[in-house]
Amino acid sequence: MFHKSHPQWYPARQSIRLDPKGKSLKDEDVLQHLPVGTTATFYFRDLGAQISWVTVFLTEYTGPLVIYLLFYFRVPFIYAPKYDFTTSKHWVVHLACMCHSFHYVKRLLETLFVHRFSHGTMPLRNIFKNCTYYWGFAAWMAYYINHPLYTPPTYGEQQIRLALIIFLFCQIGNFSIHIALRNLRPPGSKTRKIPYPTKNPFTWIFLLVSCPNYTYELGSWLGFTLMTQCLPVAFFTLVGFMQMTVWAKGKHRSYLKEFRDYPPLRSPILPFIL
Amino acid sequence: MSAAAQGTSKAAHGDVGPKKKKGPGALATAYLVIYNVVMTAGWLVIAVGLVRAYLARGSYHGLYYSIEKPLKFFQTGALLEILHCAVGIVPSSVVLTGFQVMSRVFLTWAVTHSIREVQSEDSVLLFVTAWTVTEIIRYSFYTFSLLNHLPYLIKWARYTFFIVLYPMGVSGELLTIYAALPYVQKTGLYSVTLPNKYNFSFDYYSFLILVMISYIPLFPQLYFHMIRQRKKVLGHTEDYSKVE
């Protein structure tokens, strides 16, 4: 309705509140149930240009998938010309490519078929920020892993095998958590419930952690770091961990605020530690 | 460079109740006064050292050596200011302060100290002088502010001298980094090449060039921020409450 009189402010960018300093009203709020009298005053705030979460996720995840492959196939102008379109002689490099690609394909499929988003949109400027982060780091890591002068891990096959086990375990774990979270929420709804362990052993970590999806994500990248023994990958893991910790702490605090009976044993991201 | 922050306090996030930071407590204030007095004194020592060395030698050349140690000591000591913000006794942004202090420490250690050939350049004197005058004014400004007796002269100086000192310092810094480039390239200083065990490389020469380029967007922003602050602080003759 507001959109009709002000066409440039489509619903996703409207923030309507009853009090200028209060919280925004939700999409589901009904006028009859709001604490107003015979006349109501609403305050409008422009949230800025918006873009859907799905669009952002698809863009930010497709980038690393494609960019890594450019380096893997040694497309011209990256390395010295004599290496154009050659392949690495180290089998771990091929394995790393498979793992990295699998990781991002999984993320894309989850975005399309698994996740149920609370908010439809986010501010437009986020896509530039997020893509710079994902695409930039992907290029930086891929450059070294696929470099003609790449050095395989010090402890060879043992190290790579252990790393692969950790990586796969955490990928399955991460997926299990995403499914469990999806099942908390009926299709099309935005309800929030406390997540609990299910029959799937990978979800038993909910006993100790509020955001095990982040825990498993950290584990996956630690596995990938071990597999490639590449310092830029370690940096990426560290930065990602820092950001996920911030998110986990926020989510944990929201859970505590919203649910009186929230299990006290849980930590945000690392059991007992963080 | 001076840090001017307004309302960057942690209370802005609204997830906690009415917890307003009323500024540092008595003990913190006493500590900060001592800190700022010591820093003022330190930079005065550097200023005096420069003047005496100039009078003794009769030339501007090579004055860096006469104040090398106190410069390193007091400039590095400024790292404490990051801690002050982190702990909350100073209401500035940790990130902004961290960035400013680290850039100074970088120039002092990673450029001037590390590359001997650059130490006799005149550009070094240019930024050292700019830093010295700026810091003497800045630290005395903080000292007086904490004691709630800020002479207008100091406030005026803090928000006026930067107009000349800031470009002067930036020029000195850029010229010094530029002078360092050939030596870094020749010796491969702080650089790591492939192949190596951790599959990492770093080219300090390219890094320095990137640092120089970063001045282009950063310097105008910081400069015009100070100009805006100046209009606000000095624009009226009424006394404003302590502005950082």
Side-chain angles (χ1 to χ4, degrees), chain A residues 177-239:
Chain A
I177 301 300
H178 287 158
I179 293 291
L181 290 172
R182 169 199 171 85
N183 290 338
L184 286 181
R185 181 175 269 183
S189 85
K190 294 184 186 171
T191 50
R192 273 188 308 280
K193 304 218 286 269
I194 303 177
Y196 283 106
T198 67
K199 290 204 188 74
N200 182 347
F202 285 98
T203 64
W204 296 353
I205 191 177
F206 268 121
L207 290 169
L208 298 174
V209 162
S210 288
C211 302
N213 48 319
Y214 296 141
T215 317
Y216 280 123
E217 184 71 12
L218 171 67
S220 301
W221 287 107
L222 284 173
F224 193 68
T225 308
L226 192 66
M227 191 189 296
T228 55
Q229 198 168 298
C230 178
L231 200 56
V233 179
F235 274 128
F236 178 64
T237 308
L238 179 66
V239 176

Side-chain angles (χ1 to χ4, degrees), chain B residues 2-9 85 90-97 100 141-142 158-159 225-226 229 232-233 241-244:
Chain B
S2 22
Q6 356 155 3
T8 51
S9 67
C85 296
V90 169
S92 285
S93 141
V94 174
V95 171
L96 205 59
T97 308
Q100 287 166 332
F141 176 89
Y142 292 150
R158 198 224 167 159
Y159 285 100
H225 173 70
M226 280 306 283
Q229 286 296 95
K232 236 200 315 190
V233 172
S241 54
K242 177 171 59 170
V243 174
E244 223 282 320

Side-chain angles (χ1 to χ4, degrees), chain A residues 27-80:
Chain A
D27 288 351
E28 305 81 58
D29 287 338
V30 175
L31 185 56
Q32 268 95 318
H33 300 149
L34 292 174
V36 293
T38 45
T39 58
T41 306
F42 292 107
Y43 295 90
F44 162 78
R45 187 162 156 228
D46 179 14
L47 295 171
Q50 298 284 302
I51 185 168
S52 81
W53 273 67
V54 174
T55 310
V56 173
F57 273 31
L58 292 179
T59 318
E60 69 189 15
Y61 297 155
T62 307
L65 186 61
V66 170
I67 290 170
Y68 192 102
L69 290 172
L70 293 175
F71 287 87
Y72 176 74
F73 288 116
R74 292 185 181 158
V75 146
F77 299 108
I78 299 176
Y79 305 112

Side-chain angles (χ1 to χ4, degrees), chain B residues 27-84:
Chain B
L27 184 63
T29 308
Y31 161 75
L32 285 172
V33 169
I34 295 172
Y35 173 79
N36 285 298
V37 164
V38 167
M39 292 305 253
T40 312
W43 286 94
L44 277 166
V45 162
I46 295 170
V48 166
L50 282 170
V51 170
R52 289 181 63 181
Y54 170 68
L55 292 174
R57 288 169 206 243
S59 99
Y60 293 113
H61 204 65
L63 293 182
Y64 169 75
Y65 299 102
S66 54
I67 45 84
E68 182 179 0
K69 284 203 175 31
L71 175 70
K72 284 175 177 172
F73 182 80
F74 289 100
Q75 186 57 81
T76 312
L79 285 168
L80 283 172
E81 283 162 53
I82 305 174
L83 195 66
H84 299 164

Side-chain angles (χ1 to χ4, degrees), chain A residues 144 147 149-151 228-232 253, chain B residues 14-15 194-202:
Chain A
Y144 289 105
H147 201 284
L149 297 177
Y150 171 76
T151 310
T228 55
Q229 198 168 298
C230 178
L231 200 56
R253 223 176 298 131
Chain B
D15 54 349
L194 290 175
N196 60 69
K197 202 157 61 145
Y198 296 112
N199 294 299
F200 178 69
S201 67
F202 180 70

